[in-house]
């Protein structure tokens, strides 16, 4: 693995390319700040001018910021608004582009009040794809997260049997991932059995697994800040003909979408392939979410593989493919892999086989 000693200058340059008529950009999303400077604190503000970079933190984070952040001045302030006001005043910043999804309305109104001469413009789309293409180091971390998670699932799979509760399985899986080297679970692990499997975002509860259940396990690990995301659906025997058939159809939609992934294809086209595959089978109405999403410092990030998305897949993007069919009150089946987009095709990073497994 090639080790790039500092990926940050190139990232900041890419950020600045989108500065347009602004004097400075205000970055508030913690993962974007981490991506641009290496600072891993959970609160802070990054201001980027054309030739300067200022990280504003409160007293809880000053020492950490000095130890971690690369290529930026560090300022300690009591409040975000005071810090931004001071730096903007000192550097005669007139036009400020801000990360609108991450600035509260309250802070926005206070900034307007404190900087009456400044013009604020939202950067709703501009930053969205900043982190979409991963470098080798990022890919290695996602790969590692996926392997840690996969090994943990393999170790607990025999727990998926009648009379074991969803929660016990989820807890054991998270424990194994952390024992295996994960910093944490990528999100609250989903173990959903029977009718709960018909809820795309079920939370594991006290329901005990019963014979004939579909059991959806949607889980991931975090390694070096990077996430993995994978879903396996098991059928606890006996499996009905209908369950086997729907599994085969979801798998077919998943496989067709993955076969179509390569640099240059739009995200919407991949979604359409998965969707049409299930529509052909008469199941389109039961596929109620997008086909996938980018994965990186956040478990859900750009790009989105959903209907109508014109974003173009590029080599180095890491995205999920996760078609699912949900039959309310009955059961559901979802199959998800995380894949690395390449010039010709893609590579599946999540290690677990998606062959139908009847336990
Ligand atoms: Zn998932
Ligand atoms: Zn996902």
């Amino acid at each position: 693995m090639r080790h790039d000693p500092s990926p940050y200058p190139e990232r900041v340059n890419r950020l600045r390319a989108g500065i347009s008529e602004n004097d400075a950009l205000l970055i508030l999303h913690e993962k974007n700040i981490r991506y641009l400077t290496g600072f891993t604190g959970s609160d802070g503000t990054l201001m980027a001018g054309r030739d300067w970079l200022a990280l504003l933190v409160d007293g809880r984070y000053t020492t950490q910021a000095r130890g971690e952040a690369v290529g930026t001045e560090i300022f300690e302030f009591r409040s975000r608004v005071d810090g931004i006001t001071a730096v903007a005043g000192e550097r005669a910043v007139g036009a400020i582009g801000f990360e609108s999804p991450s600035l509260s309305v309250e802070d926005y109104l206070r900034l307007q009040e404190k900087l009456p001469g400044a013009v604020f413009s939202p950067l709703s789309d501009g930053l969205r794809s900043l982190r979409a293409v991963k470098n080798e180091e990022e890919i290695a971390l996602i790969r590692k997260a996926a392997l840690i998670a996969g090994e943990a699932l393999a170790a607990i799979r025999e727990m998926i049997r009648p009379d074991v509760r969803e929660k016990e399985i989820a807890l054991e899986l998270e424990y194994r991932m952390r024992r295996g080297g994960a910093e944490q679970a990528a999100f609250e692990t989903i173990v959903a059995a029977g009718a709960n499997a018909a809820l795309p975002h079920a939370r594991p509860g006290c329901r005990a697994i019963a014979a004939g259940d579909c059991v959806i396990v949607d889980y991931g690990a975090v390694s070096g800040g990077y996430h993995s995301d994978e879903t396996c659906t098991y059928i606890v025997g006996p499996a009905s003909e209908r369950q086997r058939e729907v599994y085969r159809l979801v798998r077919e939609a998943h496989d067709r979408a993955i076969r179509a992934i390569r640099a240059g294809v739009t995200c919407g086209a991949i979604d359409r392939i998965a969707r049409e595959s299930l529509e052909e089978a008469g199941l389109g109405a039961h596929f109620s979410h997008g086909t996938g999403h980018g994965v990186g410092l956040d478990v859900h990030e750009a790009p989105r593989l959903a209907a109508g998305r014109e974003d173009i897949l590029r080599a180095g993007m890491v995205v999920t493919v996760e078609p699912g069919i949900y039959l309310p009150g009955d059961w559901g089946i979802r199959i998800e892999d995380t894949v690395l987009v390449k010039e010709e095709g893609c590579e599946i990073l999540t290690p677990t086989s998606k062959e139908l497994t009847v336990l």
Side-chain angles (χ1 to χ4, degrees):
M1 180 179 87
R2 186 180 56 85
H3 183 80
D4 186 348
S6 179
Y8 305 113
E10 180 270 332
R11 294 174 181 177
V12 172
N13 285 341
R14 268 194 285 123
L15 173 76
R16 286 196 175 111
I19 201 166
S20 63
E21 53 278 12
N22 294 300
D23 300 316
L25 302 178
L26 213 54
I27 311 302
L28 302 136
H29 184 53
E30 69 180 82
K31 302 296 169 57
N32 283 336
I33 295 174
R34 176 174 185 163
Y35 184 75
L36 292 163
T37 69
F39 172 61
T40 64
S42 54
D43 196 12
T45 305
L46 186 68
M47 293 180 75
R50 283 176 202 284
D51 56 2
W52 55 271
L53 206 57
L55 176 61
L56 321 181
V57 293
D58 66 50
R60 293 171 298 167
Y61 293 107
T62 313
T63 307
Q64 185 184 352
R66 294 219 168 100
E68 289 179 342
V70 173
T72 177
E73 294 175 87
I74 293 158
F75 297 95
E76 182 182 312
F77 287 98
R78 265 220 210 117
S79 85
R80 190 191 304 284
V81 171
D82 290 349
I84 296 167
T85 306
V87 173
E90 190 185 291
R91 304 194 180 201
V93 170
I96 302 176
F98 68 99
E99 201 178 8
S100 48
S102 302
L103 184 67
S104 71
V105 174
E106 183 171 323
D107 281 355
Y108 177 66
L109 294 174
R110 288 178 58 216
L111 280 171
Q112 282 189 317
E113 195 181 300
K114 293 218 172 192
L115 292 167
V119 177
F120 290 90
S121 13
L123 301 166
S124 45
D125 257 18
L127 285 174
R128 220 173 34 81
S129 53
L130 182 69
R131 298 189 270 123
V133 173
K134 274 70 182 173
N135 68 19
E136 285 177 40
E137 203 171 337
E138 294 177 285
I139 292 163
L141 290 169
I142 296 170
R143 198 188 293 278
K144 186 171 168 205
L147 288 176
I148 290 170
E151 280 172 12
L153 179 64
I156 64 100
R157 208 186 70 173
E158 61 172 30
M159 281 183 79
I160 303 173
R161 59 171 192 267
D163 301 328
V164 182
R165 295 179 195 281
E166 294 169 338
K167 254 184 177 168
E168 290 173 61
I169 296 167
L171 196 63
E172 189 64 24
L173 181 50
E174 292 189 359
Y175 174 74
R176 293 279 185 151
M177 288 195 288
R178 297 191 67 161
R179 282 290 299 260
E183 287 161 23
Q184 59 187 67
F187 47 88
E188 192 182 349
T189 300
I190 295 174
V191 176
N196 290 342
L199 306 169
H201 263 228
R203 299 184 72 179
C206 293
R207 187 188 191 287
I209 290 170
D213 276 355
C214 291
V215 181
I216 291 181
V217 181
D218 189 349
Y219 74 116
V222 180
S223 173
Y226 285 79
H227 296 67
S228 70
D229 190 6
E230 177 172 38
T231 305
C232 300
T233 300
Y234 299 103
I235 301 177
V236 177
S240 70
E241 273 315 303
R242 183 65 175 155
Q243 285 169 329
R244 289 174 186 274
E245 170 73 357
V246 172
Y247 191 96
R248 191 185 62 73
L249 293 165
V250 174
R251 172 92 196 270
E252 178 67 24
H254 161 275
D255 290 357
R256 282 190 197 176
I258 284 181
R259 279 199 299 271
I261 289 182
R262 68 190 60 225
V265 180
T266 67
C267 291
I270 302 302
D271 180 81
R272 193 161 56 244
I273 288 163
R275 208 160 292 285
E276 283 176 359
S277 179
L278 290 164
E279 281 165 2
E280 275 170 31
L283 288 168
H286 297 287
F287 177 25
S288 50
H289 52 74
T291 294
H293 53 85
V295 178
L297 285 170
D298 280 311
V299 70
H300 291 125
E301 58 181 47
R304 280 180 56 209
L305 277 60
R309 300 296 300 199
E310 296 296 329
D311 326 35
I312 291 170
L313 290 174
R314 292 166 59 197
M317 286 183 173
V318 175
V319 299
T320 69
V321 173
E322 50 181 302
I325 289 296
Y326 309 94
L327 306 174
D330 227 347
W331 41 267
I333 289 170
R334 176 165 69 255
I335 300 174
E336 174 180 31
D337 277 308
T338 296
V339 309
L340 167 64
V341 180
K342 299 195 159 183
E343 291 297 343
E344 299 296 333
C346 70
E347 179 194 340
I348 299 177
L349 302 179
T350 27
T352 311
S353 161
K354 300 303 181 295
E355 288 292 332
L356 171 61
T357 307
V358 179
L359 299 172

